[in-house]
């Protein structure tokens, strides 16, 4: 269906997990968006109303389907693609059908998917005249903030986006399974497993470099561990004294032999660590240059004690979903192929870090 300015953007929600439910709820609230379909992996969800699946407490008149061809036949303007584990084949089918895709499934530039998958997705999008865009709070939105912060600089030498949180409340989430909480100290292969699990932050350094108007010669990852000093009571995880309870991961992009951009995460599940680490409970953005700019971005409420556990746990899903939902109009209007924030009209002024 041809898109015209006087009608809402037709949207399909793909999966209704923690993030997808928040995304779906946001779509049905907006007059400029129209929910026309929902894709559900499980047959148990197929045929159920989207309002029921999202926990809205009311029907919205859109039933979920587990049939990919049925979803494509709806001819939506875009799909909000939010499974935990992406299926490149499904993405190619959507893009070749001319459907724009916005995703939270570990995608910014496609680097983490591997070069073959990245090339195939870009080709499918160009053939279909569709755009493929990925974001989330970090990586994604936080990198855009860093680029915006650089807009006051005459010179930029180095940019770091540092996510520093105790995530004990969220440790049971399925997206934590591959990080290895509770693995023995010095466990062979753990650092490589963490590199694989955090590969989307390699996308982040590419995307941030693109926002800054530079190209990278090399991307590397450095991993450090901290260990629990006592047995922990962590929901959904077994973490004994002496096992891994803290991760410090740095994805670093270099240009001309010098480090230029960095995506740094420090996640812990307890303050009782060896070595002891400072945890900011915030996103810390540093732009080194002339002048230097430092941002502290807090997303947690000041009075968490007043919130229900359900609302507290939902915060991470909301801030992951909304950068994608809010980008829908810009992505639908963007050029075909893989696109990042650098291709959208909200991009910051570009400043290439000096080697």
């Amino acid at each position: 269906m041809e898109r015209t300015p006087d009608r809402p953007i037709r949207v399909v929600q793909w999966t209704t997990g923690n993030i997808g439910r928040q995304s779906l709820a946001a779509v049905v609230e907006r007059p400029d968006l129209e929910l026309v379909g929902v894709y559900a992996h499980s047959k148990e969800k197929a045929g159920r109303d989207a309002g029921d699946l999202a926990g809205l407490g009311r029907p919205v008149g859109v039933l979920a389907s587990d049939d990919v061809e049925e979803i494509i036949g709806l001819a939506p303007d875009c799909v909000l693609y939010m499974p935990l584990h992406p299926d490149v084949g499904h993405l190619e089918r959507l893009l070749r059908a001319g459907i724009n895709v916005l995703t939270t499934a570990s995608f910014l530039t496609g680097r983490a998917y591997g070069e073959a998958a990245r090339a195939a997705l870009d080709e499918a999008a160009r053939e279909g005249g569709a755009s493929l865009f990925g974001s989330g709070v970090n990586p994604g939105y936080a990198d855009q903030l860093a680029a915006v912060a650089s807009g006051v600089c005459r010179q930029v030498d180095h940019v770091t986006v540092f996510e520093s949180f105790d995530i004990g409340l969220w440790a049971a989430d399925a997206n934590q399974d591959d990080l290895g909480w509770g693995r023995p100290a010095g466990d062979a292969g753990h650092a490589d497993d963490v590199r694989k699990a955090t590969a989307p932050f390699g996308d982040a350094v590419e995307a941030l470099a693109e926002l800054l108007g530079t190209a990278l010669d090399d991307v590397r990852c450095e991993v450090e561990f901290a260990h629990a000093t006592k047995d922990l009571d962590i929901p959904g995880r077994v973490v004994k004294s002496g096992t891994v309870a803290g991760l410090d991961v740095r994805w670093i992009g270099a240009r001309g032999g010098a480090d230029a951009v960095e995506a740094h995460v420090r996640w812990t599940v307890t303050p009782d660590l060896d070595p002891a680490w400072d945890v900011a409970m915030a996103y810390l953005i540093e732009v080194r240059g002339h002048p230097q700019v430092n941002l502290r971005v807090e997303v947690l409420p000041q009075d968490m004690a007043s919130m229900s556990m359900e609302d507290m746990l939902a915060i991470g899903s909301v801030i992951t979903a909304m950068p994608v939902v809010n980008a829908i109009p810009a992505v639908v209007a963007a050029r075909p192929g893989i696109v990042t924030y650098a291709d959208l009209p909200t991009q910051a002024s570009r400043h290439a870090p000096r080697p």
Side-chain angles (χ1 to χ4, degrees):
M1 181 181 296
E2 185 179 354
R3 166 88 177 113
T4 58
D6 59 346
R7 70 165 175 83
I9 297 173
R10 292 164 50 82
V11 179
V12 163
Q13 176 64 49
W14 191 287
T15 69
T16 55
N18 291 336
I19 297 170
R21 286 196 297 273
Q22 300 298 334
S23 171
L24 193 157
V27 168
V28 299
E29 291 171 353
R30 288 180 51 160
D32 62 328
L33 305 177
E34 179 188 2
L35 183 73
V36 297
V38 175
Y39 177 78
H41 279 302
S42 68
K43 293 188 179 299
E44 292 75 17
K45 290 185 178 181
R48 291 173 59 186
D49 189 272
D52 177 31
L53 293 175
L56 299 182
R58 61 180 177 85
V60 297
V62 176
L63 302 182
S65 171
D66 61 354
D67 186 330
V68 176
E69 285 305 315
E70 182 179 336
I71 294 296
I72 291 173
L74 294 171
D77 296 305
C78 70
V79 164
L80 299 179
Y81 185 83
M82 297 179 173
L84 180 59
H85 301 294
D87 184 315
V88 172
H90 283 165
L91 286 168
E92 286 187 71
R93 289 169 69 182
L94 293 168
L95 294 165
R96 280 204 170 87
I99 301 169
N100 301 290
V101 176
L102 299 92
T103 181
T104 59
S106 303
F107 187 96
L108 268 73
T109 66
R111 186 180 192 277
Y113 283 28
E115 290 305 317
R118 170 154 61 174
L121 289 170
D122 192 53
E123 179 183 359
R126 292 176 186 276
E127 286 183 4
S131 303
L132 172 58
F133 172 81
S135 189
V137 61
N138 188 42
Y141 174 73
D143 306 306
Q144 169 76 340
L145 282 182
V148 170
S150 76
V152 299
C153 299
R154 190 171 73 203
Q155 172 188 329
V156 173
D157 300 317
H158 187 276
V159 179
T160 298
V161 177
F162 182 23
E163 176 178 325
S164 177
F165 284 92
D166 183 319
I167 58 173
L169 280 177
W170 298 273
D173 286 357
N175 62 7
Q176 301 286 306
D177 289 348
D178 296 330
L179 294 177
W181 300 117
R183 282 177 67 163
D187 198 11
H190 193 178
D192 285 338
D193 290 343
V194 170
R195 290 185 184 97
K196 183 177 180 180
T198 61
F201 289 93
D203 284 43
V205 297
E206 282 191 342
L208 183 52
E210 185 177 358
L211 277 165
L212 296 168
T214 190
L216 300 175
D217 303 325
D218 179 62
V219 176
R220 70 184 189 276
C221 179
E222 301 174 356
V223 181
E224 295 182 11
F225 299 101
H227 305 94
T229 58
K230 62 181 182 181
D231 291 352
L232 304 178
D233 182 17
I234 302 295
R237 302 289 171 188
V238 177
V239 182
K240 300 293 187 182
S241 178
T243 66
V244 171
L247 300 172
D248 191 274
V249 186
R250 299 172 63 176
W251 283 89
I252 303 165
R255 174 178 176 269
D259 294 344
V261 293
E262 180 176 329
H264 183 185
V265 294
R266 176 175 292 171
W267 295 323
T268 66
V269 294
T270 179
D272 300 309
L273 292 172
D274 180 26
W277 284 348
D278 291 330
V279 177
M281 296 301 284
Y283 299 94
L284 306 178
I285 295 171
E286 178 190 74
V287 181
R288 294 205 302 266
H290 180 68
Q292 176 155 326
V293 182
N294 293 280
L295 301 182
R296 179 185 177 95
V297 182
E298 298 184 2
V299 294
L300 298 177
Q302 295 294 314
D303 184 14
M304 292 191 294
S306 66
M307 299 183 67
S308 69
M309 183 58 69
E310 182 180 3
D311 288 343
M312 186 66 207
L313 293 174
I315 290 175
S317 298
V318 172
I319 63 177
T320 300
M322 290 314 299
V324 169
V325 174
N326 288 329
I328 288 174
V331 173
V332 168
R335 64 166 178 80
I338 293 173
V339 298
T340 68
Y341 277 113
D343 299 290
L344 305 186
T346 53
Q347 74 175 72
S349 300
R350 298 186 175 195
H351 299 275
R354 298 187 179 185

